[in-house]
Amino acid sequence: MASRGGVLAAQTLLRCATRSYLSITPMSMSGQLPASCSSSSLVCSSLGRMQRVMGHGAFRSFASAPEQRSGGKSGSGASPMSTKALIIGLMAGAGVLAGTQAFTDTKMKKVTAASQETVGKAAVGGVFELTGVDGKPFSSEQLLGEFALIYFGFTFCPDICPDELEKIALMTDGVEKKTGVKIQPVFISVDPERDTPPKVKAYCAEFHPRLLGLTGTIESVKKVSKLYRVYFSKTGDSGDDYLVDHSIIHYLIDPEGEFVTFYSKAYTADQLTESVVGHMADWKAAHPGEYHPEIKEIAKPEGPQLRAR
Protein backbone atom coordinates (compact mmCIF):
# COMPACT_ATOMS: atom_id res chain seq x y z
CA MET A 1 0.00 0.00 0.00
CA ALA A 2 1.24 3.49 -0.80
CA SER A 3 2.38 5.52 2.19
CA ARG A 4 0.39 8.39 3.61
CA GLY A 5 2.83 10.75 1.88
CA GLY A 6 1.62 9.59 -1.53
CA VAL A 7 -1.99 10.14 -0.55
CA LEU A 8 -1.20 13.63 0.74
CA ALA A 9 0.52 14.50 -2.53
CA ALA A 10 -2.53 13.43 -4.51
CA GLN A 11 -4.77 15.42 -2.16
CA THR A 12 -2.59 18.49 -2.65
CA LEU A 13 -2.94 18.28 -6.43
CA LEU A 14 -6.67 17.75 -6.14
CA ARG A 15 -7.04 20.75 -3.84
CA CYS A 16 -5.15 22.98 -6.28
CA ALA A 17 -7.39 21.83 -9.11
CA THR A 18 -10.47 22.14 -6.91
CA ARG A 19 -9.69 25.74 -6.03
CA SER A 20 -9.28 26.55 -9.70
CA TYR A 21 -12.63 24.94 -10.34
CA LEU A 22 -14.36 26.93 -7.63
CA SER A 23 -12.92 30.14 -9.06
CA ILE A 24 -14.67 29.56 -12.40
CA THR A 25 -17.78 27.67 -11.28
CA PRO A 26 -20.03 30.80 -11.34
CA MET A 27 -19.43 31.04 -15.08
CA SER A 28 -20.30 27.40 -15.72
CA MET A 29 -23.34 27.49 -13.45
CA SER A 30 -24.69 30.53 -15.28
CA GLY A 31 -25.36 28.48 -18.40
CA GLN A 32 -22.53 29.88 -20.48
CA LEU A 33 -20.50 27.70 -22.82
CA PRO A 34 -17.57 26.42 -20.74
CA ALA A 35 -14.66 28.19 -22.40
CA SER A 36 -13.01 31.37 -21.24
CA CYS A 37 -9.64 33.08 -20.98
CA SER A 38 -8.92 30.99 -17.87
CA SER A 39 -6.80 27.90 -18.55
CA SER A 40 -8.21 26.33 -15.37
CA SER A 41 -11.45 25.60 -17.24
CA LEU A 42 -9.88 22.28 -18.29
CA VAL A 43 -10.50 20.81 -14.83
CA CYS A 44 -14.03 22.21 -14.51
CA SER A 45 -16.03 19.22 -15.75
CA SER A 46 -14.29 16.44 -13.81
CA LEU A 47 -14.29 18.40 -10.57
CA GLY A 48 -17.93 19.27 -11.14
CA ARG A 49 -18.75 15.58 -10.91
CA MET A 50 -16.59 15.38 -7.77
CA GLN A 51 -18.60 18.25 -6.27
CA ARG A 52 -21.90 16.49 -6.93
CA VAL A 53 -20.66 13.27 -5.31
CA MET A 54 -19.22 14.91 -2.18
CA GLY A 55 -21.84 17.62 -1.77
CA HIS A 56 -21.13 21.32 -2.15
CA GLY A 57 -20.26 21.96 1.51
CA ALA A 58 -17.87 19.05 1.85
CA PHE A 59 -16.34 19.84 -1.52
CA ARG A 60 -15.58 23.44 -0.55
CA SER A 61 -14.23 22.33 2.84
CA PHE A 62 -11.92 19.91 1.05
CA ALA A 63 -10.65 22.72 -1.17
CA SER A 64 -9.97 25.07 1.73
CA ALA A 65 -8.33 22.54 4.04
CA PRO A 66 -4.62 23.20 4.65
CA GLU A 67 -2.17 20.90 2.91
CA GLN A 68 0.38 18.93 4.94
CA ARG A 69 3.83 19.52 3.58
CA SER A 70 6.75 17.15 3.21
CA GLY A 71 8.41 16.65 6.57
CA GLY A 72 5.39 17.95 8.50
CA LYS A 73 3.68 16.15 11.36
CA SER A 74 0.11 15.02 11.55
CA GLY A 75 -2.02 13.80 14.37
CA SER A 76 -1.15 10.19 13.49
CA GLY A 77 2.58 10.88 13.33
CA ALA A 78 2.96 10.32 9.58
CA SER A 79 6.54 10.01 8.36
CA PRO A 80 8.10 12.40 5.81
CA MET A 81 7.12 11.81 2.19
CA SER A 82 9.44 9.40 0.39
CA THR A 83 10.46 9.80 -3.25
CA LYS A 84 8.47 6.72 -4.23
CA ALA A 85 5.41 7.95 -2.38
CA LEU A 86 5.73 11.36 -4.01
CA ILE A 87 5.85 9.78 -7.46
CA ILE A 88 2.79 7.65 -6.67
CA GLY A 89 0.93 10.68 -5.39
CA LEU A 90 1.86 12.81 -8.38
CA MET A 91 0.80 10.04 -10.76
CA ALA A 92 -2.54 9.76 -8.99
CA GLY A 93 -3.16 13.49 -9.16
CA ALA A 94 -1.94 13.74 -12.74
CA GLY A 95 -4.32 10.98 -13.71
CA VAL A 96 -7.24 13.17 -12.67
CA LEU A 97 -6.00 16.11 -14.73
CA ALA A 98 -4.86 14.11 -17.75
CA GLY A 99 -8.35 12.93 -18.62
CA THR A 100 -10.06 16.29 -18.26
CA GLN A 101 -9.41 17.51 -21.82
CA ALA A 102 -11.31 14.62 -23.38
CA PHE A 103 -14.09 14.98 -20.83
CA THR A 104 -14.26 18.73 -21.48
CA ASP A 105 -14.68 18.10 -25.21
CA THR A 106 -17.53 15.70 -24.45
CA LYS A 107 -19.07 18.22 -22.05
CA MET A 108 -18.99 20.94 -24.71
CA LYS A 109 -20.95 18.68 -27.05
CA LYS A 110 -23.45 17.89 -24.29
CA VAL A 111 -23.92 21.60 -23.55
CA THR A 112 -24.72 22.22 -27.21
CA ALA A 113 -27.11 19.28 -27.31
CA ALA A 114 -28.81 20.42 -24.11
CA SER A 115 -29.40 23.85 -25.63
CA GLN A 116 -31.42 22.36 -28.47
CA GLU A 117 -35.12 23.06 -28.65
CA THR A 118 -37.63 20.34 -29.46
CA VAL A 119 -37.79 21.46 -33.08
CA GLY A 120 -34.09 20.68 -33.41
CA LYS A 121 -32.67 24.19 -33.67
CA ALA A 122 -29.96 25.21 -31.24
CA ALA A 123 -31.01 27.89 -28.75
CA VAL A 124 -27.94 29.96 -29.63
CA GLY A 125 -27.97 33.20 -31.57
CA GLY A 126 -30.80 35.40 -32.73
CA VAL A 127 -31.65 38.87 -33.97
CA PHE A 128 -29.60 41.71 -32.47
CA GLU A 129 -29.02 45.42 -32.90
CA LEU A 130 -25.59 46.99 -32.39
CA THR A 131 -23.57 49.95 -33.67
CA GLY A 132 -21.31 49.81 -36.73
CA VAL A 133 -17.91 51.46 -37.05
CA ASP A 134 -19.58 54.32 -38.89
CA GLY A 135 -21.63 55.08 -35.79
CA LYS A 136 -24.87 53.96 -37.46
CA PRO A 137 -27.22 51.23 -36.18
CA PHE A 138 -26.39 47.74 -37.42
CA SER A 139 -28.87 44.85 -37.49
CA SER A 140 -27.99 41.17 -37.65
CA GLU A 141 -30.37 40.99 -40.61
CA GLN A 142 -27.68 42.78 -42.63
CA LEU A 143 -25.63 39.58 -42.40
CA LEU A 144 -28.28 37.48 -44.17
CA GLY A 145 -27.34 35.91 -47.48
CA GLU A 146 -23.85 34.73 -46.57
CA PHE A 147 -22.06 32.66 -43.95
CA ALA A 148 -20.62 34.69 -41.08
CA LEU A 149 -18.13 33.84 -38.34
CA ILE A 150 -18.66 35.86 -35.17
CA TYR A 151 -16.06 36.42 -32.47
CA PHE A 152 -16.47 38.39 -29.23
CA GLY A 153 -13.47 40.28 -27.81
CA PHE A 154 -12.09 43.74 -27.00
CA THR A 155 -9.50 46.03 -28.56
CA PHE A 156 -7.36 46.29 -25.40
CA CYS A 157 -6.89 42.51 -25.28
CA PRO A 158 -3.13 41.91 -25.00
CA ASP A 159 -2.74 38.53 -26.68
CA ILE A 160 -5.70 36.15 -27.08
CA CYS A 161 -7.90 38.38 -29.24
CA PRO A 162 -5.10 39.29 -31.65
CA ASP A 163 -4.20 35.61 -32.00
CA GLU A 164 -7.81 34.60 -32.65
CA LEU A 165 -8.39 37.44 -35.12
CA GLU A 166 -5.23 36.52 -37.02
CA LYS A 167 -6.67 33.02 -37.22
CA ILE A 168 -9.97 34.40 -38.53
CA ALA A 169 -8.12 36.45 -41.17
CA LEU A 170 -6.31 33.35 -42.44
CA MET A 171 -9.58 31.40 -42.46
CA THR A 172 -11.36 34.17 -44.38
CA ASP A 173 -8.77 34.14 -47.16
CA GLY A 174 -8.54 30.35 -47.11
CA VAL A 175 -12.29 29.88 -47.55
CA GLU A 176 -12.41 32.33 -50.46
CA LYS A 177 -9.46 30.62 -52.14
CA LYS A 178 -11.07 27.18 -51.85
CA THR A 179 -14.66 28.12 -52.71
CA GLY A 180 -14.78 31.53 -54.35
CA VAL A 181 -17.17 32.58 -51.58
CA LYS A 182 -16.50 35.57 -49.32
CA ILE A 183 -17.46 34.62 -45.78
CA GLN A 184 -18.20 37.57 -43.48
CA PRO A 185 -15.95 37.71 -40.39
CA VAL A 186 -17.45 39.69 -37.50
CA PHE A 187 -15.86 41.15 -34.37
CA ILE A 188 -18.20 42.19 -31.54
CA SER A 189 -16.73 44.20 -28.68
CA VAL A 190 -17.49 43.15 -25.10
CA ASP A 191 -15.94 46.40 -23.83
CA PRO A 192 -18.31 49.07 -25.16
CA GLU A 193 -17.21 51.59 -22.54
CA ARG A 194 -13.79 51.95 -24.19
CA ASP A 195 -14.37 50.48 -27.65
CA THR A 196 -15.88 53.38 -29.56
CA PRO A 197 -16.78 52.94 -33.27
CA PRO A 198 -13.59 54.71 -34.50
CA LYS A 199 -11.42 52.60 -32.20
CA VAL A 200 -13.09 49.36 -33.32
CA LYS A 201 -12.73 50.41 -36.97
CA ALA A 202 -8.99 51.02 -36.64
CA TYR A 203 -8.53 47.78 -34.69
CA CYS A 204 -10.35 45.58 -37.21
CA ALA A 205 -8.41 47.12 -40.10
CA GLU A 206 -5.22 45.72 -38.59
CA PHE A 207 -6.37 42.16 -39.22
CA HIS A 208 -8.48 41.99 -42.39
CA PRO A 209 -10.12 44.55 -44.69
CA ARG A 210 -13.44 42.67 -44.52
CA LEU A 211 -13.49 42.17 -40.74
CA LEU A 212 -16.75 43.80 -39.63
CA GLY A 213 -16.44 45.57 -36.29
CA LEU A 214 -19.44 46.13 -34.04
CA THR A 215 -19.92 47.78 -30.65
CA GLY A 216 -22.87 49.38 -28.88
CA THR A 217 -24.31 50.32 -25.53
CA ILE A 218 -23.64 48.18 -22.48
CA GLU A 219 -27.24 46.95 -22.63
CA SER A 220 -27.10 45.98 -26.32
CA VAL A 221 -23.78 44.17 -25.88
CA LYS A 222 -25.14 42.25 -22.90
CA LYS A 223 -28.18 41.27 -24.95
CA VAL A 224 -26.24 39.85 -27.89
CA SER A 225 -23.82 38.14 -25.49
CA LYS A 226 -26.74 36.44 -23.80
CA LEU A 227 -28.08 35.30 -27.18
CA TYR A 228 -24.78 33.61 -27.95
CA ARG A 229 -24.14 32.35 -24.41
CA VAL A 230 -21.02 34.51 -24.16
CA TYR A 231 -19.46 35.15 -20.77
CA PHE A 232 -17.54 38.38 -20.12
CA SER A 233 -16.47 40.22 -16.99
CA LYS A 234 -14.09 43.02 -16.07
CA THR A 235 -10.96 41.99 -14.18
CA GLY A 236 -8.75 44.30 -12.16
CA ASP A 237 -11.17 47.19 -12.53
CA SER A 238 -9.36 50.45 -11.90
CA GLY A 239 -10.88 53.26 -13.91
CA ASP A 240 -9.94 52.71 -17.54
CA ASP A 241 -7.13 50.32 -16.65
CA TYR A 242 -8.67 46.85 -16.76
CA LEU A 243 -8.94 43.67 -18.82
CA VAL A 244 -12.03 41.71 -19.78
CA ASP A 245 -12.23 37.97 -19.18
CA HIS A 246 -14.44 36.47 -21.88
CA SER A 247 -15.41 33.31 -23.73
CA ILE A 248 -13.02 32.33 -26.53
CA ILE A 249 -15.45 30.89 -29.05
CA HIS A 250 -16.14 31.47 -32.76
CA TYR A 251 -19.75 31.14 -33.94
CA LEU A 252 -20.60 30.06 -37.48
CA ILE A 253 -23.89 31.48 -38.81
CA ASP A 254 -25.57 30.30 -42.02
CA PRO A 255 -27.02 32.56 -44.79
CA GLU A 256 -30.42 32.50 -43.08
CA GLY A 257 -28.97 33.82 -39.83
CA GLU A 258 -29.16 30.50 -37.98
CA PHE A 259 -26.46 29.19 -35.69
CA VAL A 260 -24.54 26.29 -37.28
CA THR A 261 -21.73 25.40 -34.88
CA PHE A 262 -19.01 26.87 -32.69
CA TYR A 263 -15.24 26.55 -32.57
CA SER A 264 -13.02 26.82 -29.51
CA LYS A 265 -9.52 28.26 -29.24
CA ALA A 266 -8.15 24.76 -29.92
CA TYR A 267 -8.96 25.08 -33.64
CA THR A 268 -6.17 26.14 -35.98
CA ALA A 269 -6.76 28.40 -39.00
CA ASP A 270 -6.53 25.41 -41.33
CA GLN A 271 -9.01 23.41 -39.27
CA LEU A 272 -11.41 26.34 -39.20
CA THR A 273 -11.11 26.68 -42.98
CA GLU A 274 -11.75 22.99 -43.64
CA SER A 275 -14.77 22.88 -41.35
CA VAL A 276 -16.34 26.07 -42.73
CA VAL A 277 -15.82 24.89 -46.32
CA GLY A 278 -17.51 21.61 -45.40
CA HIS A 279 -20.57 23.43 -44.07
CA MET A 280 -20.64 25.65 -47.16
CA ALA A 281 -20.54 22.57 -49.40
CA ASP A 282 -23.50 21.07 -47.55
CA TRP A 283 -25.43 24.33 -47.82
CA LYS A 284 -24.68 24.66 -51.53
CA ALA A 285 -25.85 21.08 -52.15
CA ALA A 286 -29.11 21.80 -50.31
CA HIS A 287 -29.66 25.20 -52.02
CA PRO A 288 -28.12 24.78 -55.50
CA GLY A 289 -30.13 27.49 -57.27
CA GLU A 290 -30.21 29.99 -54.41
CA TYR A 291 -26.74 30.04 -52.88
CA HIS A 292 -24.19 31.48 -55.29
CA PRO A 293 -25.81 30.14 -58.47
CA GLU A 294 -22.71 31.22 -60.42
CA ILE A 295 -20.78 28.50 -58.58
CA LYS A 296 -21.64 25.02 -59.84
CA GLU A 297 -20.39 23.13 -56.82
CA ILE A 298 -18.35 23.61 -53.65
CA ALA A 299 -15.98 20.71 -53.12
CA LYS A 300 -16.23 19.19 -49.69
CA PRO A 301 -12.88 18.59 -47.96
CA GLU A 302 -11.69 15.01 -48.08
CA GLY A 303 -11.36 12.95 -44.93
CA PRO A 304 -13.37 13.06 -41.68
CA GLN A 305 -14.98 16.38 -40.84
CA LEU A 306 -13.82 18.08 -37.69
CA ARG A 307 -16.41 18.65 -35.04
CA ALA A 308 -16.79 21.67 -32.84
CA ARG A 309 -14.73 21.57 -29.67
Side-chain angles (χ1 to χ4, degrees):
M1 176 179 289
S3 70
R4 180 177 177 80
V7 176
L8 292 175
Q11 288 178 337
T12 299
L13 284 173
L14 284 172
R15 284 196 179 97
C16 290
T18 301
R19 287 167 183 165
S20 294
Y21 168 76
L22 288 173
S23 71
I24 61 171
T25 296
M27 176 192 69
S28 300
M29 293 178 65
S30 67
Q32 314 299 341
L33 292 175
S36 76
C37 292
S38 173
S39 61
S40 60
S41 61
L42 293 178
V43 301
C44 178
S45 299
S46 292
L47 291 171
R49 292 190 297 174
M50 181 178 172
Q51 180 185 29
R52 290 192 291 273
V53 172
M54 295 177 65
H56 185 72
F59 182 73
R60 188 170 289 277
S61 296
F62 172 78
S64 59
E67 297 91 352
Q68 292 187 352
R69 306 184 186 280
S70 176
K73 294 183 179 181
S74 67
S76 60
S79 61
M81 186 184 301
S82 67
T83 302
K84 182 178 180 180
L86 174 62
I87 293 175
I88 293 174
L90 291 174
M91 289 176 65
V96 174
L97 301 179
T100 56
Q101 180 62 66
F103 185 82
T104 299
D105 290 348
T106 302
K107 185 66 176 178
M108 290 285 280
K109 294 173 186 177
K110 289 182 178 179
V111 169
T112 304
S115 70
Q116 302 245 332
E117 300 174 304
T118 56
V119 295
K121 290 186 178 180
V124 177
V127 177
F128 61 83
E129 299 281 343
L130 289 171
T131 302
V133 294
D134 57 1
K136 298 179 181 179
F138 183 93
S139 169
S140 57
E141 294 183 353
Q142 292 174 244
L143 296 174
L144 298 180
E146 192 52 83
F147 277 89
L149 191 71
I150 300 177
Y151 178 77
F152 292 77
F154 64 111
T155 66
F156 286 83
C157 184
D159 45 24
I160 292 182
C161 289
D163 289 346
E164 295 304 295
L165 291 175
E166 288 284 1
K167 187 188 302 181
I168 289 177
L170 291 172
M171 178 279 303
T172 300
D173 290 337
V175 167
E176 184 176 2
K177 182 177 180 181
K178 288 177 177 291
T179 67
V181 176
K182 294 183 177 181
I183 186 174
Q184 177 61 68
V186 181
F187 170 81
I188 296 179
S189 172
V190 292
D191 185 17
E193 294 177 81
R194 295 183 299 183
D195 286 348
T196 61
K199 187 170 293 184
V200 172
K201 180 179 181 179
Y203 184 71
C204 290
E206 295 178 9
F207 298 97
H208 198 280
R210 291 209 315 273
L211 179 58
L212 175 64
L214 299 174
T215 184
T217 63
I218 295 178
E219 291 72 21
S220 63
V221 169
K222 284 183 177 179
K223 182 177 179 180
V224 67
S225 297
K226 184 176 181 180
L227 287 174
Y228 282 91
R229 307 294 193 268
V230 171
Y231 160 83
F232 71 93
S233 177
K234 286 184 181 180
T235 62
D237 190 356
S238 178
D240 287 336
D241 184 18
Y242 59 86
L243 296 177
V244 181
D245 187 28
H246 61 90
S247 304
I248 312 172
I249 301 178
H250 306 265
Y251 300 86
L252 183 64
I253 310 302
D254 70 26
E256 293 181 350
E258 299 291 338
F259 168 76
V260 178
T261 190
F262 64 88
Y263 305 100
S264 72
K265 184 176 180 290
Y267 265 64
T268 65
D270 287 341
Q271 290 173 326
L272 269 177
T273 301
E274 293 296 295
S275 181
V276 170
V277 169
H279 285 292
M280 282 185 168
D282 290 339
W283 187 268
K284 174 62 178 177
H287 307 78
E290 303 170 17
Y291 186 63
H292 290 282
E294 74 281 4
I295 299 176
K296 183 177 180 180
E297 180 183 20
I298 294 178
K300 195 165 186 175
E302 298 180 359
Q305 292 298 295
L306 295 168
R307 295 183 178 181
R309 59 189 175 108

